Structures are given as structure tokens and as C-alpha cells.
Amino acid sequence: MKRVAVVGVGQTRFRTRRDDKTHPELTREAVSRALDHAGISMEDVDAFVFGTMDPFDGINCPDRWSSTAAGFGKPFMKISTGGTTGLTTGIAAYQHVASGMFDVVVAVCTQRVGENVDAQPVLNTAVDPIYEGHSGVGAISVAAIQATAHMQRFGTTEEQMAWVSVKDHESALKNPYAHIRKRLSVEDVLSSPVISSPLKLYECCPRSDGSVAIVFASEERAKEIRDNPAWILAESSISDSYFVGDRPDLAVWDSLSIAGRRLYRLAGVDDPKRDIDVAELYSPFTIQEILELEALGFAEKGEGARLAEEGVTFADGDMPTNPSGGVLCTNPIGATGLVRLGEASLQVMGEASNQVDGAEVALAHAWGERCSSTP
Amino acid sequence: MVLKIEAKWEIPYVHSAGEHATRFFEALKEKRILGVRCPRCGRVLVPPRAFCERCYVDTDEWVEVKDEGVIETLTINYARFTGLPEPPYAVGIVKLDGADTGMLAYLGGVDLSDWKKAHERLKIGTRVRAVWKDEPEGRITDILYFKPVEE
């Protein structure tokens, strides 16, 4: 395996709708910005990896449309793995370079959830049609049953979950690309309508239009391109039971714990709390940040709920989590995981919009169809 | 302003339930719930499937489980979404007596207008029993919902 670094990150401004641009035009906006950030041109790119979830865009194989904006005539691979699509795309691009097959590879993810008049029919088709399709369960319900389990098992409170939302919304105010930029209080969160008990509206992510691109480079090329590349230390991913009822305990995220331990072993991380300076986690619902912090070793089981409330996970706290504002403020679904990796990379480069002082090691995570992590 | 073009996906499918689920659905017609036991780890999987994903072995020992069990966790949906039931409705994971996995199911027989009171009534560990459709037709919806067992 060769050493690989992120040398450029480009994002579009995320919005409910980006009516000013078509799918390939959005892709081009992100790719151009990533190439500009790296200070290279299209001629320098050896291959592209493209991620999106087709049904949200309403176009079968939108990558075919967007591929002209992602390197006409170049090697091209499309990735689609549900909510993890973005990070799986980043991992695939990383592996393209780590394998030695290519020197400069761009990962780009474009998603237009805003053009999907109601995303629920798409989410409905993500459920097993034999046993579970009738059950009215979508992504929110799965998070909500995790929340119910965590509250009863560990005594986690509604206020503690609300603090996660307050923290992310405060951070998003500093991120010019964030979709939702508005200050919220705990009271605002608690008094918003209950969507899927115990989760309220402001504990749930929005749906966003936008695109993100990341340039990966081999060691030699990375050193030529910039003096502050973000080196990829390791990646890890894992699959989990399809049926939620097969998981022995919904108050803990076992598969993520296993993926995290594998990742830390590969990356030489002994103590994540000490060795990792900032985390960008895929938490579309407040409770999930809590479960993820516990699963990834940033808190003991049942202790994750206190972190936002006590200020630990704020950008200026001891374990800054989602200083970009996270998924609660920006969620272009199939691109969201790559936004996590882009923001984590910018933190390590020292160029993030809500920069954590002295950040040297960052972790990016996504879950969805499969569970992925990268520091 | 830019022009907007309307589009729609309407794509019919017919899914195969496979032989295992077909047998499960047949038993529902008699208000019986079947699972399968994994020959390696011994877990009883409900609803049944043709292989144990953890052990990666075929499952062919059929087991009947009770239509009673306990709630493992739940949520009550209050928002209206296209293609989902009319809110409010409660969904939970129920571990039936004799099963080692939980089954996703509707919960009912309880006033859902106040979610906190309903969560108290349906809290984790509550014993529940299936309320069946009068004339089951071999569909998952033959189990209308699970309601608390009055002690």
C-alpha cells in the first residue's frame, strides 16, 4: 500500500434547491474548486470516482450525465452505497491511489435531494419488501428506536440530545457552505414538533442539494502539490445485519465499535480521545452522534450524552465533533459522507472554516448501507 | 428564474418472497408464527430466512414461536410522509417468546396522542400479544399490531 494524501477539497454552497445549476453543472462547480484548491488542472487527474444515489436525483445513472464534468475520457467508477455513498466513494478513490494504479484521483459526489419532491418514497424502497416494507419505518424511525433504547438503558435525556443540535447549529454559523445556518437554543429544539418520538424536528437533518469533490494524490505528487497535505492514515468499513431486530442491543452500535477498533489498529491510534483531535461524524439525528461517540471510544457506553451538554464536543472543547455543523445542518445524502472527509481533511490542513486549534489527526465517518470510517 | 421540468418514476416490480418466507406466510393463515433455528449458533431467527448471516450456514429446522413477547424498543411517528401510514402510529421491535431476534411490528391498543404517556405504557420490557386480523390471508399484515398484555 502506498501513502496517499488529500491535496484539494471543493464544495458547493448547499441549499434546499440549487435551481441555478443542473446535475453536471453542480459536479463541475465542486470539481473545479477542488482542482483550484490543489492548484492543478484536469490534465493532471488520472481517474475519477463518482458517488450518488440515483433515486433521489430521479435520473437512472446520473453519473453518465455528470461524467463529462468529471473528466471526459478518463477512467471512471461509480459508487452507490446508500447513506455511506460519499465516504465509500472517498475510500474507493483512496484505494485507487494506494494500490499504485493511479497518482492523482478525484472523488466527487453530487446529490439533488431538493428535486425529489418528497424523499420518503425513495426511503421506503430501502426497506426489505418481504417482511418490513409494510411497517412505516424509515431512517428517522430507526434513529428514534435507538434513542428510545438509549434513554431507557442509560437515562439519556431529551435535553442532552437537544444539546447536540444546539452545538451543530452554532458551528454551522461559521461554515459558508452549510445549508442551515441559524442559532438554536435547547428550548427551541425541545419545543419543535415531535417527528418520530422522542426525536423532534430540530434533531433531524435537512435534505440538501450540492456537490463535493476531493483530490487524492500519491506521496510524490502530494509533496509536489502542496506543503500541508492531509495524509490518510487508514480506512475501515463493516457490514451489519439487514434486519434491525437482529441487533442484540440498539442502545449500542456494535458494528461501528468493531470498525473503529480495526481502524485504530491500522492507524496506530491507542487512545482515540487523546490521539484524535477532531471528528466529523455522520449523525443525521442527534442520538446518533451520541451512539457514535460511544462506539468509537470517545466516551464510555452511556456517557456520550453528556459531551455536548458539558461543552466537550463544541469546536473549542476537548473533543470537537462536527465543527462544520455536521449532517444536522447539511445533508446532500449520497454526498454527505464525502463532505465529512473533506471537512476532516481541511481541519488537518489548518484551513477549515471553523478551525480547531492544533488539529493534526481527524476522523471522518459515515453510516448507511454500510458503515465506514477514515482518520 | 430558470425553467423547471417535471419528471416522475413509476416502475412496477413483483418481488419473490423465496421459499422460507412463503412457508412463514402460509403459517400466518393459521395464526401461527414460525422461525428457523441456526444449526451452528442455535439462534431462532424470526421472521425466518434461508441462512444465518452470522454463521453463513443454511437454516432448515423450523420452530413455532409464541405470538406473545416483549417490546425491545419503539417509536411513535407523528409526521405525515408519502407512502407511510396515517400518523400517529407506533412501531417497535418485539422479541417473541422462543425467538432470539426481534421482529419489527406495529404496536397498538394504547392512546398515542401524548407520546410520553404512550412510551410509558409501551416501555421497553412490556409484555405484548399479537392482535390478528379476523381472517388471515397469509400476509405480514395479518398481525395487525401487538398490544400490552393485561396482567
Side-chain angles (χ1 to χ4, degrees), chain A residues 72-289:
Chain A
F72 183 82
K74 292 186 192 283
F76 185 92
M77 177 186 280
K78 186 259 189 88
I79 302 277
S80 191
T81 62
T84 35
T85 295
L87 201 43
T88 313
T89 305
I91 287 173
Y94 158 73
Q95 290 173 347
H96 272 51
V97 181
S99 69
M101 290 186 77
F102 300 102
D103 282 322
V104 177
V105 175
V106 174
V108 55
C109 293
T110 304
Q111 194 85 71
R112 314 206 56 142
V113 197
E115 293 195 340
N116 194 185
V117 177
D118 180 354
Q120 193 61 46
V122 173
L123 297 169
N124 293 350
T125 61
V127 181
D128 155 42
I130 314 301
Y131 290 134
E132 298 190 337
H134 73 295
S135 64
V137 163
I140 302 178
S141 314
V142 172
I145 61 178
Q146 289 175 317
T148 301
H150 204 273
M151 288 172 83
Q152 184 160 332
R153 169 93 176 269
F154 298 116
T156 299
T157 66
E158 292 175 70
E159 288 77 8
Q160 287 172 324
M161 292 195 288
W163 271 107
V164 174
S165 176
V166 170
K167 183 250 313 167
D168 280 1
H169 283 83
E170 184 177 308
S171 291
L173 292 170
K174 293 193 178 162
N175 178 0
Y177 300 108
H179 175 178
I180 309 287
R181 290 202 286 172
K182 124 188 206 178
R183 180 161 273 119
L184 288 180
S185 67
V186 167
E187 183 49 39
D188 293 332
V189 178
L190 291 177
S191 62
S192 63
V194 177
I195 301 294
S196 191
S197 64
L199 299 176
K200 289 124 199 130
L201 179 65
Y202 289 142
E203 297 186 80
C204 303
C205 58
R207 355 192 257 122
S208 318
D209 268 15
S211 182
V212 54
I214 294 183
V215 183
F216 293 83
S218 61
E219 183 164 14
E220 310 77 62
R221 289 292 283 129
K223 286 175 176 168
E224 288 164 15
I225 290 170
R226 69 187 317 131
D227 57 12
N228 63 341
W231 297 101
I232 305 284
L233 300 178
E235 62 86 7
S236 165
S237 70
I238 190 168
S239 66
D240 201 350
S241 304
Y242 185 74
F243 297 100
V244 280
D246 281 12
R247 302 186 190 171
D249 186 351
L250 281 157
V252 299
W253 212 321
D254 286 332
S255 56
L256 181 55
S257 290
I258 295 166
R261 285 199 296 273
R262 289 179 190 162
L263 181 75
Y264 297 154
R265 197 165 55 241
L266 290 167
V269 167
D270 296 321
D271 175 358
K273 273 186 283 196
R274 186 195 64 209
D275 298 343
I276 295 174
D277 302 311
V278 53
E280 280 285 342
L281 306 181
Y282 192 98
S283 327
F285 308 99
T286 51
I287 182 63
Q288 292 186 326
E289 179 176 300

Side-chain angles (χ1 to χ4, degrees), chain A residues 17 19-20 54-60 118 120-121 124 127 129-132 134-138 140-142 144-153 158 194-200 240-248 250, chain B residues 2 4 7 9 15-18 20-22 24-25 43 45-49 53-54 72-85 89 91-93 95 100-106 115-116 119 123-125 140-141:
Chain A
R17 288 182 64 99
D19 284 331
D20 57 316
D54 302 16
F56 288 118
D57 294 349
I59 309 148
N60 200 17
D118 180 354
Q120 193 61 46
N124 293 350
V127 181
I130 314 301
Y131 290 134
E132 298 190 337
H134 73 295
S135 64
V137 163
I140 302 178
S141 314
V142 172
I145 61 178
Q146 289 175 317
T148 301
H150 204 273
M151 288 172 83
Q152 184 160 332
R153 169 93 176 269
E158 292 175 70
V194 177
I195 301 294
S196 191
S197 64
L199 299 176
K200 289 124 199 130
D240 201 350
S241 304
Y242 185 74
F243 297 100
V244 280
D246 281 12
R247 302 186 190 171
L250 281 157
Chain B
V2 293
K4 291 177 185 170
W9 278 13
H15 296 291
S16 167
H20 268 57
T22 298
F24 170 81
F25 290 125
R43 290 189 308 150
L45 310 173
V46 178
R49 51 221 89 140
E53 61 189 18
R54 296 192 190 179
E72 290 199 309
T73 182
L74 78 144
T75 181
I76 305 164
N77 287 281
Y78 290 91
R80 183 170 277 105
F81 291 109
T82 308
L84 296 189
Y89 61 94
V91 181
I93 293 178
K95 188 182 272 187
D100 290 295
T101 61
M103 191 166 102
L104 196 63
Y106 289 114
W115 75 267
K116 289 187 189 181
H119 270 240
K123 74 176 175 211
I124 296 171
I140 193 86
T141 45

